[in-house]
Amino acid sequence: MGQRQSEIIKNHMEVYWHDYASASKGIPITEAGLVEKASVIGRTGLMLLECGTGAWRVRSSMNTLSRELGVTTTADIGLLSIEFTCFDGDQCYTQSLCLTNTGVNTSRLNRLEHFVNDFDREGKFMTGEELHSHLDEIERIHGLYSPIALGFAAALACSCFTFLLGGGIVEMLCAFCGAGIGNFVRCKLTKHHFTLFLGITASVCSASLVYAILLKLAEVLFAVSAQHEAGYICSMLIIPGFPFITSGIDLAKLDMRSGLERLAYAVLIILVATMTAWIMALLLHLQPVQFPALSLTLPEEIVFRLLASFGGVFGFSLMFNSPRNLAVCAALIGAVTNTFRLELVSLAGFPPAVAAFLGALLAELLASCLKSAAGYPRISVTVPSIVIMVPGLYFYRAIYNLGILSLMDSATWFADAILIIVALPLGLIFARIVTDKTFRYCT
């Protein structure tokens, strides 16, 4: 009867990479044909793209492999696809490759960067079959953590994020439970390849529902004030930090296609999440009111901000599939830089966008120092350390006020959010210009 109706036919057909190496078994890749060399170059670039890194880094890695293999490669890179051409002096070969989805996997990114950096010492002496087998092994690095572990990571990140936004113990506990269950639901749906919109909507709905139920129980059982409802926003914050930041870096390097596609992807996630959150707020009768004031001395505030920033960045890093050592490195940088940013606003009176720029600048400088000692890809440290600075709360309040036709308040929140969003990648870019001579030139 042919294929069963219950089976889903993939919209993106699988590429059988080992078929490219079948014609030159036992021959080092440097002596193989152009098609086989191009398959290694293209597959490596596509895998890097799947990890969430930007076009500049993908092209740089493809160029490194090309130089070792004696070919010239030009590439046009987007969010989900690469079109590239390889030349060897006698002939050229063009290929178009496409991903089914995008995400962030810093563990795989770390392995791929080591593969590229060690190619001159190891990879170029291997056969095409051996190289594709090695890439198969790296490709099998999916998630280091189970959906339950990722749920706890999100719970930790969002509860710490709640404190940094002004919430107290009640908001933190409710956000912990709501965010944990919400991210668990999203991870389970993603694992089964459900579409992006469904994952975001289900996550936001479950997070806000759990928060509302717990807060109502606290009101009934412990006479907790309803003013603590403001924390429901923190329980469902879905922050596309990687595409936001890498879009800015790509635009700075005039990789317009990749930069604009990443920006559109990030904005799409924000719009779906905030619209869903607004609808849930209407259904559950929740409002983004101000948090009750916390009675903390200045030293206590700084210490708690350091701890909360560390916990928040550590949780976000685990959600990006970072190994624990890498997550700790990012969290240490995030604790310093985010507290620095917050104190610039609260003590020195800096505008939030200027403070965000300086915080991101400091994060990139510290990550550059750490890169030499730890050997981690810089982007896998810097982005998690500043993703906690992305103003998800501002975006939500802008959409909420737009929905109730409070246009002046909505415009104010939008303006503040956009200024901070622009400032964060600018801070990274200027720090990269100072510390990375390969980045500061247009070549």
Side-chain angles (χ1 to χ4, degrees):
M1 294 179 61
Q3 191 167 20
R4 293 179 301 174
Q5 291 183 353
S6 60
E7 293 180 352
I8 299 176
I9 300 174
K10 293 182 179 179
N11 189 251
H12 293 77
M13 298 183 71
E14 185 177 355
V15 179
Y16 297 97
W17 294 106
H18 290 270
D19 290 350
Y20 288 96
S22 60
S24 55
K25 292 182 178 179
I27 299 175
I29 189 65
T30 52
E31 300 176 16
L34 181 62
V35 174
E36 187 170 344
K37 293 177 180 178
S39 71
V40 174
I41 296 168
R43 186 183 185 187
T44 303
L46 193 69
M47 289 174 64
L48 282 164
L49 193 65
E50 191 177 12
C51 294
T53 193
W56 186 80
R57 177 57 62 194
V58 173
R59 184 179 293 105
S60 176
S61 299
M62 294 174 71
N63 291 344
T64 299
L65 298 184
S66 299
R67 282 190 288 268
E68 295 298 329
L69 297 177
V71 301
T72 300
T73 299
T74 62
D76 182 24
I77 302 168
L79 173 68
L80 292 172
S81 61
I82 300 176
E83 288 80 40
F84 70 101
T85 301
C86 292
F87 309 83
D88 67 356
D90 295 324
Q91 54 184 329
C92 66
Y93 177 77
T94 299
Q95 193 169 37
S96 177
L97 300 172
C98 186
L99 295 170
T100 60
N101 201 355
T102 186
V104 180
N105 190 327
T106 55
S107 179
R108 186 189 294 175
L109 176 61
N110 187 32
R111 287 284 300 274
L112 283 169
E113 288 223 347
H114 284 297
F115 171 78
V116 173
N117 294 335
D118 296 340
F119 195 82
D120 61 334
R121 298 187 300 273
E122 300 175 6
K124 72 180 194 177
F125 301 109
M126 300 168 68
T127 66
E129 182 71 27
E130 291 171 336
L131 286 171
H132 282 298
S133 295
H134 187 45
L135 291 172
D136 286 341
E137 180 187 345
I138 297 175
E139 201 167 37
R140 282 191 285 269
I141 302 175
H142 292 295
L144 294 177
Y145 310 105
S146 67
I148 293 177
L150 291 174
F152 277 107
L156 173 64
C158 288
S159 61
C160 291
F161 198 67
T162 303
F163 172 79
L164 295 171
L165 291 174
I169 189 67
V170 174
E171 292 92 343
M172 290 176 67
L173 289 174
C174 292
F176 182 93
C177 298
I181 293 175
N183 198 54
F184 171 78
V185 170
R186 186 171 67 87
C187 290
K188 292 294 286 186
L189 292 175
T190 302
K191 188 175 181 179
H192 290 89
H193 307 289
F194 282 93
T195 186
L196 175 70
F197 280 25
L198 178 59
I200 295 172
T201 303
S203 174
V204 171
C205 289
S206 55
S208 56
L209 185 61
V210 168
Y211 190 99
I213 292 172
L214 290 177
L215 183 60
K216 179 57 68 174
L217 288 175
E219 287 182 45
V220 173
L221 298 177
F222 305 106
V224 172
S225 170
Q227 191 177 0
H228 294 290
E229 66 182 331
Y232 80 95
I233 305 172
C234 308
S235 70
M236 55 189 176
L237 284 179
I238 296 178
I239 303 174
F242 251 83
F244 257 136
I245 304 305
T246 53
S247 71
I249 295 173
D250 283 344
L251 290 172
K253 297 298 291 183
L254 298 184
D255 276 309
M256 303 303 290
R257 177 190 168 195
S258 177
L260 292 175
E261 288 182 10
R262 289 174 184 278
L263 181 60
Y265 173 74
V267 170
L268 189 66
I269 292 175
I270 289 289
L271 287 176
V272 174
T274 52
M275 288 295 292
T276 305
W278 171 56
I279 294 171
M280 290 300 296
L282 294 179
L283 295 175
L284 298 172
H285 304 290
L286 299 171
Q287 295 181 356
V289 296
Q290 294 296 325
F291 290 104
L294 299 177
S295 301
L296 296 174
T297 64
L298 180 60
E300 290 173 340
E301 180 183 78
I302 293 175
V303 170
F304 284 130
R305 281 179 171 177
L306 283 168
L307 293 174
S309 297
F310 180 92
V313 174
F314 183 77
F316 282 127
S317 296
L318 295 183
M319 291 168 65
F320 293 150
N321 203 45
S322 299
R324 282 187 290 272
N325 291 341
L326 176 56
V328 169
C329 293
L332 289 172
I333 292 176
V336 174
T337 56
N338 192 53
T339 304
F340 171 70
R341 174 186 70 92
L342 293 171
E343 297 308 323
L344 285 178
V345 175
S346 59
L347 293 182
F350 277 59
V354 176
F357 173 85
L358 295 174
L361 182 77
L362 179 60
E364 180 68 30
L365 294 175
L366 292 176
S368 298
C369 298
L370 184 67
K371 182 178 184 295
S372 302
Y376 294 124
R378 185 157 29 191
I379 192 172
S380 63
V381 177
T382 54
V383 175
S385 68
I386 70 169
V387 74
I388 201 167
M389 304 180 191
V390 175
L393 175 66
Y394 289 24
F395 277 117
Y396 172 72
R397 283 182 167 165
I399 293 293
Y400 181 90
N401 284 286
L402 183 64
I404 62 175
L405 298 182
S406 180
L407 301 183
M408 290 297 293
D409 289 338
S410 177
T412 300
W413 286 111
F414 264 127
D416 288 341
I418 291 171
L419 285 173
I420 295 174
I421 284 296
V422 171
L424 289 174
L426 281 178
L428 295 184
I429 290 163
F430 278 98
R432 182 73 68 87
I433 290 172
V434 172
T435 59
D436 188 351
K437 64 180 180 180
T438 63
F439 189 86
R440 76 180 64 128
Y441 296 105
C442 181
T443 56

